[in-house]
Every structure is written in C-alpha cells, then in structure tokens.
C-alpha cells in the first residue's frame, strides 16, 4: 500500500462536516430570498464559489464525490441507507432521497452517500 496515496484521509474526513454545513447553508437561501435581498444574493454567490473551489481541491488530490440521483439503484458499496420513504414516484428499493454526498479517496471509500430508499405506500399496513 502506498502510504502517501492515502495519508490525507484523516484530514479529508474532518472536512466532510464543513462540506455538509456549506451545502445546508446554500440550500437554505431560496431563489425568492435572493431576488428580494442583494446581501443574500451576494452571500449565496460567495458560498457557491467556495464550494466550487473546495471540490476542485478535492479533485486535484484524488477525492471524488459520490452523488447518486433519485431513482438510482442502491449500492451497499457506496451508499448508506438512513431509512425508508413511502412513495409511488420511485420504484421500491431505489434511492428516494439523497441526504448527503459520499466520497472516495482514489479507490478507497471514505464516506458513503447517505440516503433514504423508497418503499411502497402502505407497506407497513396489514
């Protein structure tokens, strides 16, 4: 094993909470808020740029984001199911919601993508 290839894994894991919090901040600023408040529009732009450079630095160092789409198949090698969601919009057992991105460092999983899987409406009823 090439130690230098994976030596960044500890610090990278510590940065995942920064990523999650930045994404929550970005998602909390709706388009309506941005239209009505120039300061929030500027803040949103700055957060977007920060995240863009954050991901660029990750890519340069062999860190790749795992961001599945709703409707994709669940892969236990890259995903962690946090729960189930009743829906008729996504096939049972497929990804219904993506809660947070996952990451790999070269070929090693550092953090699985956190998600909810679909279950049929009324599956709990007998």
């Amino acid at each position: 094993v090439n130690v230098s290839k994976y030596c960044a894994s500890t610090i990278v894991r510590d940065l995942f909470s920064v990523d999650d919090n930045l994404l929550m901040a970005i998602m909390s600023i709706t388009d309506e808020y941005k239209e009505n408040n120039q300061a929030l529009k500027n803040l949103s732009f700055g957060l977007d740029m920060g995240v863009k450079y954050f991901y660029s630095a990750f890519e340069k160092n062999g860190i790749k984001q795992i961001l599945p789409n709703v409707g994709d198949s669940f892969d236990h090698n890259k995903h962690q199911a946090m729960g189930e969601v009743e829906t008729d919009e996504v096939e049972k057992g497929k990804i219904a919601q993506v809660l947070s991105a996952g990451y790999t460092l070269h070929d090693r999983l550092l953090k699985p993508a956190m998600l909810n899987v679909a279950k049929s409406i009324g599956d709990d009823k007998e």
Side-chain angles (χ1 to χ4, degrees):
V1 176
N2 185 349
V3 175
S4 64
K5 187 175 180 180
Y6 300 107
C7 68
S9 63
T10 302
I11 192 167
V12 170
R13 283 188 180 104
D14 290 342
L15 292 173
F16 292 147
S17 61
V18 175
D19 176 47
D20 290 341
N21 286 309
L22 284 171
L23 292 177
M24 281 191 292
I26 289 169
M27 290 187 299
S28 72
I29 306 172
T30 64
D31 288 339
E32 182 182 342
Y33 288 148
K34 288 186 254 185
E35 288 174 18
N36 297 320
N37 187 315
Q38 187 62 42
L40 283 177
K41 185 176 183 178
N42 294 342
L43 175 63
S44 178
F45 179 78
L47 288 169
D48 288 341
M49 293 306 294
V51 167
K52 178 181 172 186
Y53 290 117
F54 193 73
Y55 292 150
S56 176
F58 272 11
E59 284 282 328
K60 287 178 189 174
N61 290 281
I63 301 157
K64 293 186 179 160
Q65 188 179 56
I66 301 168
L67 193 58
N69 294 305
V70 170
D72 285 354
S73 295
F74 178 82
D75 181 346
H76 69 276
N77 293 309
K78 300 186 289 186
H79 306 147
Q80 181 173 342
M82 304 304 291
E84 293 180 305
V85 175
E86 284 188 351
T87 183
D88 58 1
E89 296 177 16
V90 177
E91 186 180 326
K92 182 179 180 177
K94 301 277 186 172
I95 297 170
Q97 295 174 323
V98 179
L99 304 174
S100 68
Y103 292 92
T104 59
L105 175 60
H106 303 292
D107 58 347
R108 192 174 284 176
L109 181 68
L110 294 180
K111 177 186 177 218
M114 306 293 187
L115 47 88
N116 286 323
V117 294
K119 71 177 183 176
S120 300
I121 295 174
D123 268 359
D124 293 336
K125 298 176 185 171
E126 294 184 62

